[in-house]
């Protein structure tokens, strides 16, 4: 993650943080939770075929 992206997360209050004076602190657990929330599982061939059968 870039510094700019983390600053945007803080500005939009999309991630928990602590503000100490001018410093912003983020717990590693909270950062890991944010990263895990964006996880996308890979598709398998059976998933694709199942979805195609629903459409048809």
């Amino acid at each position: 993650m870039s510094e700019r992206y983390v600053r945007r997360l803080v500005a939009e209050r999309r991630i928990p943080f602590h503000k100490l004076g001018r410093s912003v602190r983020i717990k590693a657990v909270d950062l890991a939770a944010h990263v895990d929330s964006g996880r996308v599982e890979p598709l398998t061939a059976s998933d694709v075929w199942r979805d195609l059968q629903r459409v048809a």
Side-chain angles (χ1 to χ4, degrees):
M1 278 184 222
S2 68
E3 179 181 345
R4 183 177 176 186
Y5 179 67
V6 175
R7 288 184 183 276
R8 193 175 86 207
L9 290 176
V10 169
E12 294 173 356
R13 297 185 179 262
R14 292 174 45 196
I15 191 168
F17 64 93
H18 294 279
K19 184 141 178 142
L20 303 169
R22 292 172 51 179
S23 299
V24 174
R25 303 287 185 230
I26 301 170
K27 290 184 179 180
V29 174
D30 294 332
L31 190 58
H34 178 74
V35 171
D36 287 341
S37 70
R39 181 183 171 100
V40 177
E41 295 295 327
L43 287 175
T44 63
S46 62
D47 293 335
V48 172
W49 284 111
R50 184 181 57 234
D51 291 343
L52 284 174
Q53 289 173 350
R54 285 186 202 161
V55 174

